[in-house]
Amino acid sequence: MEILRTVDALRRAVEKARGEGLSIGLVPTMGALHRGHMSLVERARRECDVVVVSIFVNPTQFNNPDDLLTYPRTEQADCAMLEAAGADFAFVPSSEEIYPEPDTRVFDLGSVAEVMEGAMRPGHFNGVAQIVSKLFGWVQPSRAYFGRKDIQQIAVIRRMAAIEGFAGEIVPCPIVREDDGLAMSSRNTRLNAGQRAIAPAIHRALLDAVEACKAGESVEQVRRRAVDAIDAVDGLRTEYFEIVHPDTMQPIACWEEAPRGAIGCITVYCGEVRLIDNISFTPVKP
Ligand code: PAF
């Protein structure tokens, strides 16, 4: 595996591959890689001739300076994992390389970016759109792989790609969980032992929510049930739990509004650590 530090080197590598008629898979990451990321890399490896993984903690998507400061950075371990997984290129640039000038672009991301994470983290999705559009422009991937844990991010990236005219396929990949159900996240490393022990209550509440939906409870009853269950755990605090349409990301009032199945998207504070998760509700029968 080759480690590329500059945009020029990245461009040269992918142009050569494209010239040889090879398909290119891109896995954008912010590093601190775990099994969730590796499942994206493995899928890209299976589906594409050349696999490029970017590792860049993108400052423009952090609306909380402390979060940016404390975001785990583990470049050596990350590169070792990518090498073992058979990635061809790790793109590991500096901030100056990505943003030689401040990026002042404002994307019209529409209503998918206005709710949930968009409402709680102003500017976050514009920052995601800035970095991902740069990566798409440089790499022009045949396929780009993103984890469904950040499901709203996928909707936003689809919108950005449509506006910018990127042709590559955006491939959503399943959430990877620890044995006790906690969704894998780089932020999990910031949980202390006590927090780590209570965090799986989030996934348990989501599973209960799915059962309650199957048993005939209304959207609001299901929503309330999950929030109450989580907030009853000392040390957990729900920031939001919205049951949304899978395409528009808009909250639904009744199950029939999402006939192909709704998504329950949740964000919970476990101490100071902000954890995100989601679950699919099975489609309602007509
Ligand atoms: O999901 C992430 O890790 C980041 O938001 C992404 C897509 C790599 C952009 O910085």
Side-chain angles (χ1 to χ4, degrees), residues 218-261:
S218 70
V219 168
E220 184 48 25
Q221 284 170 323
V222 167
R223 215 189 60 75
R224 196 68 257 162
R225 164 194 290 279
V227 172
D228 288 349
I230 289 169
D231 291 352
V233 179
D234 197 19
L236 295 183
R237 181 172 56 81
T238 309
E239 186 178 51
Y240 65 77
F241 178 43
E242 298 289 2
I243 299 179
V244 303
H245 189 283
D247 300 329
T248 65
M249 293 287 125
Q250 301 308 301
I252 57 168
C254 62
W255 301 111
E256 289 73 17
E257 280 180 40
R260 287 184 294 107

Side-chain angles (χ1 to χ4, degrees), residues 27-31 37 54 56-58 61 71 124 127-129 131-132 135 146-147 150 153 157:
V27 184
T29 81
M30 297 206 298
H37 295 110
S54 62
F56 179 62
V57 183
N58 173 39
Q61 72 187 73
Y71 202 86
H124 166 67
V128 171
I131 181 62
V132 176
L135 292 168
F146 297 92
D150 297 302
Q153 169 170 276
I157 290 170

Side-chain angles (χ1 to χ4, degrees), residues 51-228:
V51 175
V52 180
V53 183
S54 62
I55 298 178
F56 179 62
V57 183
N58 173 39
T60 71
Q61 72 187 73
F62 283 81
N63 57 328
N64 173 346
D66 269 359
D67 197 20
L68 174 60
L69 222 58
T70 55
Y71 202 86
R73 288 164 173 84
T74 56
E75 184 188 313
Q76 273 200 350
D78 291 347
C79 287
M81 285 167 82
L82 294 179
E83 173 103 61
D88 297 289
F89 299 105
F91 176 50
V92 193
S94 64
S95 266
E96 295 70 39
E97 188 64 27
I98 298 285
Y99 298 114
E101 298 292 334
D103 192 338
T104 54
R105 291 174 300 159
V106 177
F107 290 82
D108 173 14
L109 298 169
S111 52
V112 287
E114 282 164 11
V115 290
M116 301 189 289
E117 291 303 281
M120 295 299 161
R121 303 177 67 189
H124 166 67
F125 282 135
N126 198 61
V128 171
Q130 287 175 340
I131 181 62
V132 176
S133 66
K134 279 177 183 270
L135 292 168
F136 279 14
W138 294 325
V139 176
Q140 293 173 43
S142 325
R143 296 191 189 87
Y145 297 82
F146 297 92
R148 285 179 63 95
K149 185 173 77 65
D150 297 302
I151 195 144
Q152 190 181 6
Q153 169 170 276
I154 296 179
V156 167
I157 290 170
R158 282 194 196 287
R159 164 92 180 165
M160 177 284 292
I163 302 171
E164 298 292 300
F166 289 116
E169 185 188 346
I170 289 163
V171 185
C173 301
I175 299 175
V176 179
R177 298 185 180 279
E178 302 285 357
D179 289 345
D180 57 14
L182 178 64
M184 292 210 177
S185 163
S186 306
R187 289 193 170 85
N188 293 354
T189 57
R190 290 171 51 197
L191 298 171
N192 65 31
Q195 292 166 339
R196 177 64 190 79
I198 56 173
I202 302 168
H203 184 236
R204 278 201 301 275
L206 294 180
L207 292 175
D208 284 351
V210 168
E211 289 311 310
C213 164
K214 283 185 195 152
E217 286 190 10
S218 70
V219 168
E220 184 48 25
Q221 284 170 323
V222 167
R223 215 189 60 75
R224 196 68 257 162
R225 164 194 290 279
V227 172
D228 288 349

Side-chain angles (χ1 to χ4, degrees), residues 41-55:
V41 177
E42 284 154 16
R43 176 136 177 215
R45 181 68 290 161
R46 285 196 302 275
E47 296 180 351
C48 304
D49 298 317
V50 173
V51 175
V52 180
V53 183
S54 62
I55 298 178

